[in-house]
Amino acid sequence: KERFEGLSPAEFFYRNREIAGFSNPVRALYQTIRELVENSLDATELYGILPEIKVTVDVISPEKNIVKVRVEDNGVGIPSSEVPNVFGRVFYGSKYVIRQSRGLFGLGVKMAVLYAQMTTGSPVRVVTATPRSRRIHEFELMIDITKNRPRILKHNLIDNSKRWHGTIVELTLEGNWSGARRKVVEYIKRTALIAPYATITLKSPDVELHFKRLAYKVPEPPEIGRPHPRGVDIELLKSLIAKYSSGREDPPTLVDFLVENFEGVGRITAESFLKWAGYDPEMPIGSLTIEALDDLARKMREYDGWRRPRAHSLSPLGSELLSKGVQGILRPEFVASITRKPSSYGGHPFVVEVALAWGGEVPVSDHPLLLRFANKIPLLYDEGADVSRKVVDKIDWNTYKVKFPAPLAVIVHICSTKIPFKGVGKEAIADVPEVEREIEGAIRECARKLRRYLTQKEKELSLKLK
Amino acid sequence: KERFEGLSPAEFFYRNREIAGFSNPVRALYQTIRELVENSLDATELYGILPEIKVTVDVISPEKNIVKVRVEDNGVGIPSSEVPNVFGRVFYGSKYVIRQSRGLFGLGVKMAVLYAQMTTGSPVRVVTATPRSRRIHEFELMIDITKNRPRILKHNLIDNSKRWHGTIVELTLEGNWSGARRKVVEYIKRTALIAPYATITLKSPDVELHFKRLAYKVPEPPEIGRPHPRGVDIELLKSLIAKYSSGREDPPTLVDFLVENFEGVGRITAESFLKWAGYDPEMPIGSLTIEALDDLARKMREYDGWRRPRAHSLSPLGSELLSKGVQGILRPEFVASITRKPSSYGGHPFVVEVALAWGGEVPVSDHPLLLRFANKIPLLYDEGADVSRKVVDKIDWNTYKVKFPAPLAVIVHICSTKIPFKGVGKEAIADVPEVEREIEGAIRECARKLRRYLTQKEKELSLKLK
Ligand SMILES: Nc1ncnc2c1ncn2[C@@H]1O[C@H](COP(=O)(O)OP(=O)(O)OP(=O)(O)O)[C@@H](O)[C@H]1O
Ligand SMILES: Nc1ncnc2c1ncn2[C@@H]1O[C@H](COP(=O)(O)OP(=O)(O)OP(=O)(O)O)[C@@H](O)[C@H]1O
Ligand SMILES: [Mg+2]
Ligand SMILES: [Mg+2]
């Protein structure tokens, strides 16, 4: 007979860890490093702190492939009461809000802890202090996989005499450093490209990198936003209504509910919408039936009178910083870059930034070198499944005077409150039509600038030859 | 300040439903149908029942894109005590065992229920009866997303006078039938190809399909297996030790533990392994330290004296049935098919089956038409990210006398107790080296047979022309 059972989230991802990028000792080491680095960059940038990230890789045992990874940052640290769940509970984090950040799933560091635990039996070590805290907290903990909760093995308090703030995470795992090194180095280089205001160092047995920041100002941190009516469904409406109604004496009205809970909805817009949709603005939201909620959700998605989502919850690099990063890392002869106006899909705002780098130290190749970024995360795998690759492949580069083999690099950066990732391993982006159109528009805009440059270069060369 | 929170699994997949294939009304309708059909085929085949699957699609409202999907099967039904969790709790199911089946995540039908619930507010309706049960159970239920548990709206008992057994699932969702129709039809056709012993019907507003079974015998159902030592890690050892020790008076020995819990480990093998690894076979497993567990796990993975995993937990189609299915659906002039010997990766057994279909009604194309299957599931999306596509692309077909454009179809079927899917949407398979090698070997084996046929055809043609 069939045996029925339930799994905890930790159990599920322990069994299916390859889906999160932890498929083998090479890939798992890469994923471990990137999950920690991405957390450190969020912990600095989102608070306007110039990031200082130190990555250390020690090969403890080459025959057994045992590696120790340590990542240190100068970020906002983690409140000690939150450390156990942050590192020991799958689907726990602070990124479940409407705001651009690298983190979004509440899963990344837990996967790294799980993998280290199952391959070497060792706990994660965390040292952390929040700004102005008098004490530094040091933890060692593991995950109780069956129950999806942390098991604290150690918790020490250390005097924070130097008033340090930040986080150190140490993991010992089965990882193949010689296999992973090349991709890890590339990941760190590209992180330096897309976050040129960050200072990042890597120390490992056979390679040391030191990227000193090229810019001295962190971009304006994004603000937490509200959902846009374009993206509502019945469940979202129900949960927003529940939150908005709780603890109030007088039941709130429908128009108040819309104005207070959604992006792009002012009082006048809300009233015209409700008039169009056939609802009394003063109607108490508690009296909405399930059929009315269904109808309201549908009409909110359909109505074209909403203001488009603002970009205050986004934090693009800007074409100037993007050019700076590209110049610093790729050292091309020519760069054209653009940050497009904000757009949106399904109520989620997004901004596409593109740079084209040509010549100089850009390697010559049969097709464009594609560097993909999402919310300032470098994406190094699954290029064949990514929307940017689809767009680059359908462009006829001859139109822009680029004949392959050629030294051309295409840098695509997508910022959004919801990046349409294809999987929890965050490697490829789905071809959402609005996003695909924006990427193509941005690439063509830069390509026209490149064409002018190459045309000019051609003229100067033919003048010389005369 | 950062706001920390945890999400239930239902909440997580509600927010990230595109990762499970529910990205838009076209794709969601396709995914809903396939999740239900795959459950129905598991519920019949795994019990030696000749499957009768009826799929009905009603477009309730074309302007609002409201569609009702109903899938009925003659399977083993679901025990009434299990229905609420099976449909209302993410990460719950009966497929968390070591045995080939379409289901593996305990997530599929819950995603369909979630999507229907959030787009139309309506519950799932389930009618089910197990073999020889005197009553049929009818449920209507929804998912409490915040708590990841079912909410039963209705539960009726009906007299089972006809002694029916099986399951009917009805969902009302926002789905785009005209957009999804082509892929749904293709999915059902290919299901008929890979399961030629199944009778499948589709009734929809504008298309009706009836695939009567071509074979009258279900393949031998797979048996539940045990883990293979090649795939152990410390956490697996700990949980197996805990289960094996619980409720026993005398602590079991290390050699007993190995023989009773692992695949491919007889008493003699276990003793030689323990001798090689430096452990006393009679040592009580309770006395193993974490360092010893770590060492034991590593050595179990490393030891090359284990018997390779048996295929009793697999259920390939067999080259004869595969040819039959290919003939029935593609109507080619020539078919070559092969079922390879069982292989394994990381302790997981797998079998690759391949067919090449040439000519007849196979469409002429610039590259081979690739039909991919995993555990008898047709995979229709993300071909560019799939290992089979990678293998097909690197083969020089000229060697086998195939010059494109040509009417060639490549059918690849992988059976395993753990298909290396790249995501929970089950569309692409990762390029695990052992699997990739087997696919290439199988394709080349069939290609050699095709070459003999084409060479013969060439001869006959030149004879005719003389
Ligand atoms: N170095 C760090 N500094 C400060 N906070 C951190 C750090 N690392 C983790 N955190 C906190 O722990 C939470 C959980 O991290 P985790 O990587 O598991 O999820 P996430 O970053 O929110 O999302 P994702 O799964 O997409 O990475 C974060 O949201 C953040 O609040
Ligand atoms: N038509 C059916 N007949 C019998 N049992 C069913 C049927 N549909 C679902 N079930 C039961 O419900 C469980 C959960 O189904 P669900 O689709 O959510 O997960 P799964 O099939 O186990 O895995 P996956 O997420 O990969 O599909 C199944 O394991 C099975 O026990
Ligand atoms: Mg993270
Ligand atoms: Mg299923």
Side-chain angles (χ1 to χ4, degrees), chain B residues 169-453:
Chain B
V169 180
E170 284 181 7
L171 286 164
T172 305
L173 61 142
E174 182 181 49
N176 183 340
W177 172 244
S178 50
R181 174 182 47 232
R182 205 169 64 76
K183 281 282 213 273
V184 170
V185 165
E186 191 60 31
Y187 175 87
I188 291 184
K189 272 177 70 175
R190 293 187 192 189
T191 295
L193 185 159
I194 204 70
Y197 45 79
T199 288
I200 312 175
T201 55
L202 168 69
K203 284 198 170 68
S204 77
D206 42 16
V207 84
E208 288 208 9
L209 300 174
H210 182 71
F211 290 99
K212 180 100 182 73
R213 61 175 60 93
L214 306 172
Y216 288 82
K217 195 161 148 330
V218 190
E220 198 58 37
E223 297 174 24
I224 294 178
R226 294 173 184 169
H228 192 274
R230 274 286 201 213
V232 303
D233 59 76
I234 297 167
E235 287 296 326
L236 178 63
L237 276 186
K238 280 162 64 179
S239 75
L240 287 174
I241 286 172
K243 283 206 195 77
Y244 193 57
S245 317
S246 76
R248 300 170 84 101
E249 298 223 353
D250 51 329
T253 63
L254 192 40
V255 65
D256 284 344
F257 169 72
L258 290 181
V259 171
E260 296 291 314
N261 284 278
F262 291 94
E263 162 65 23
V265 184
R267 189 148 210 104
I268 298 178
T269 311
E271 285 173 349
S272 0
F273 162 72
L274 289 170
K275 188 154 176 253
W276 169 85
Y279 288 89
D280 170 18
E282 296 306 314
M283 156 184 200
I285 53 173
S287 64
L288 286 164
T289 60
I290 193 79
E291 291 76 15
L293 281 179
D294 177 30
D295 181 60
L296 197 65
R298 191 174 314 284
K299 289 185 168 141
M300 283 172 80
R301 287 198 299 273
E302 210 182 306
Y303 188 65
D304 59 7
W306 304 118
R307 199 178 60 221
R308 46 158 59 189
R310 286 176 297 157
H312 70 128
S313 52
L314 302 180
S315 170
L317 198 52
S319 56
E320 202 172 321
L321 269 185
L322 181 56
S323 283
K324 206 162 193 163
V326 171
Q327 289 281 9
I329 298 296
L330 294 181
R331 306 195 197 284
E333 179 184 311
F334 170 84
V335 188
S337 67
I338 183 125
T339 295
R340 301 270 288 189
K341 282 202 181 60
S343 183
S344 68
Y345 78 93
H348 307 294
F350 72 90
V351 164
V352 168
E353 312 187 276
V354 162
L356 291 191
W358 194 90
E361 291 181 28
V362 178
V364 172
S365 168
D366 288 330
H367 31 237
L369 169 66
L370 175 59
L371 275 61
R372 300 170 290 133
F373 298 89
N375 286 357
K376 298 177 188 161
I377 301 171
L379 310 180
L380 268 62
Y381 285 91
D382 289 358
E383 184 174 305
D386 194 283
V387 59
S388 294
R389 171 68 184 273
K390 181 181 175 193
V391 173
V392 164
D393 282 354
K394 71 175 168 180
I395 286 176
D396 178 8
W397 291 95
N398 285 318
T399 334
Y400 303 105
K401 293 201 170 288
V402 178
K403 294 213 172 354
F404 291 97
L408 175 68
V410 181
I411 297 94
V412 180
H413 180 216
I414 305 166
C415 302
S416 182
T417 52
K418 184 174 171 64
I419 298 282
F421 281 118
K422 285 183 130 177
V424 294
K426 292 184 199 161
E427 284 299 348
I429 297 179
D431 54 354
V432 169
E434 295 88 333
V435 175
E436 188 173 336
R437 272 198 298 272
E438 272 299 302
I439 294 171
E440 184 169 350
I443 290 179
R444 290 192 185 281
E445 234 179 305
C446 290
R448 288 191 285 271
K449 295 183 191 173
L450 175 63
R451 179 172 54 201
R452 280 198 289 274
Y453 175 80

Side-chain angles (χ1 to χ4, degrees), chain A residues 62-128:
Chain A
E63 329 82 49
K64 291 186 191 174
N65 264 350
I66 308 280
V67 177
K68 182 168 165 202
V69 171
R70 177 189 191 281
V71 175
E72 174 177 344
D73 64 64
N74 60 335
V76 289
I78 303 159
S80 58
S81 59
E82 295 291 354
V83 167
N85 281 334
V86 148
F87 290 90
R89 188 171 168 78
V90 170
F91 298 154
Y92 194 88
S94 62
K95 306 300 189 285
Y96 292 136
V97 292
I98 298 173
R99 170 188 59 175
Q100 173 186 330
S101 58
R102 291 169 181 78
L104 74 144
F105 295 129
L107 172 67
V109 82
K110 274 74 77 179
M111 289 309 308
V113 173
L114 259 175
Y115 184 83
Q117 180 172 319
M118 60 170 269
T119 55
T120 66
S122 43
V124 61
R125 179 169 173 267
V126 180
V127 180
T128 191

Side-chain angles (χ1 to χ4, degrees), chain A residues 350-417:
Chain A
F350 71 90
V351 164
V352 168
E353 311 188 277
V354 162
L356 290 191
W358 192 92
E361 290 182 29
V362 178
V364 171
S365 167
D366 289 330
H367 30 237
L369 171 66
L370 175 59
L371 275 62
R372 301 169 290 132
F373 298 88
N375 286 357
K376 298 177 189 161
I377 301 170
L379 310 180
L380 267 63
Y381 286 91
D382 289 357
E383 183 175 305
D386 193 283
V387 60
S388 293
R389 171 69 184 272
K390 181 182 175 192
V391 173
V392 164
D393 282 353
K394 70 175 168 179
I395 285 177
D396 178 7
W397 291 94
N398 285 318
T399 336
Y400 303 104
K401 293 199 170 289
V402 178
K403 293 208 168 6
F404 291 97
L408 176 68
V410 181
I411 298 92
V412 180
H413 179 215
I414 305 166
C415 302
S416 182
T417 52

Side-chain angles (χ1 to χ4, degrees), chain A residues 1-9 12-19 46-47 64-66 76-79 82 86 89-97 99 104-107 114 116-122 132 142-143 145 151 174 224 231 233-239 290 294-295 298 301 382 384-385 418-424, chain B residues 1-9 12-19 46-47 64-66 76-79 82 86 89-97 99 104-107 114 116-122 132 142-143 145 151 174 224 231 233-239 290 294-295 298 301 382 384-385 418-424:
Chain A
K1 294 287 142 282
E2 290 290 279
R3 205 181 72 209
F4 293 85
E5 50 181 317
L7 297 185
S8 80
F12 178 83
F13 280 103
Y14 156 68
R15 290 178 180 229
N16 298 294
R17 56 193 170 270
E18 65 285 346
I19 281 180
L46 292 174
Y47 286 87
K64 291 186 191 174
N65 264 350
I66 308 280
V76 289
I78 303 159
E82 295 291 354
V86 148
R89 188 171 168 78
V90 170
F91 298 154
Y92 194 88
S94 62
K95 306 300 189 285
Y96 292 136
V97 292
R99 170 188 59 175
L104 74 144
F105 295 129
L107 172 67
L114 259 175
Q117 180 172 319
M118 60 170 269
T119 55
T120 66
S122 43
R132 294 176 304 283
M142 296 178 87
I143 300 180
I145 295 181
R151 245 182 348 116
E174 180 180 49
I224 294 177
D233 60 75
I234 297 167
E235 288 296 326
L236 178 63
L237 275 186
K238 278 163 65 178
S239 75
I290 193 79
D294 177 28
D295 180 62
R298 191 175 314 285
R301 288 199 298 273
D382 289 357
K418 185 173 170 66
I419 297 282
F421 282 117
K422 284 183 133 178
V424 294
Chain B
K1 295 288 142 281
E2 290 289 279
R3 207 181 72 211
F4 293 83
E5 51 182 318
L7 297 186
S8 81
F12 178 83
F13 280 104
Y14 157 68
R15 289 177 182 231
N16 297 295
R17 56 193 170 272
E18 64 287 345
I19 280 179
L46 291 174
Y47 286 87
K64 291 186 191 173
N65 263 349
I66 308 280
V76 290
I78 304 159
E82 295 290 356
V86 148
R89 188 170 167 80
V90 170
F91 298 153
Y92 195 87
S94 62
K95 306 300 188 292
Y96 293 136
V97 292
R99 170 188 59 177
L104 73 145
F105 295 129
L107 173 66
L114 259 175
Q117 180 173 318
M118 58 172 270
T119 55
T120 66
S122 42
R132 295 175 306 280
M142 298 178 85
I143 300 180
I145 296 181
R151 236 171 8 106
E174 182 181 49
I224 294 178
D233 59 76
I234 297 167
E235 287 296 326
L236 178 63
L237 276 186
K238 280 162 64 179
S239 75
I290 193 79
D294 177 30
D295 181 60
R298 191 174 314 284
R301 287 198 299 273
D382 289 358
K418 184 174 171 64
I419 298 282
F421 281 118
K422 285 183 130 177
V424 294

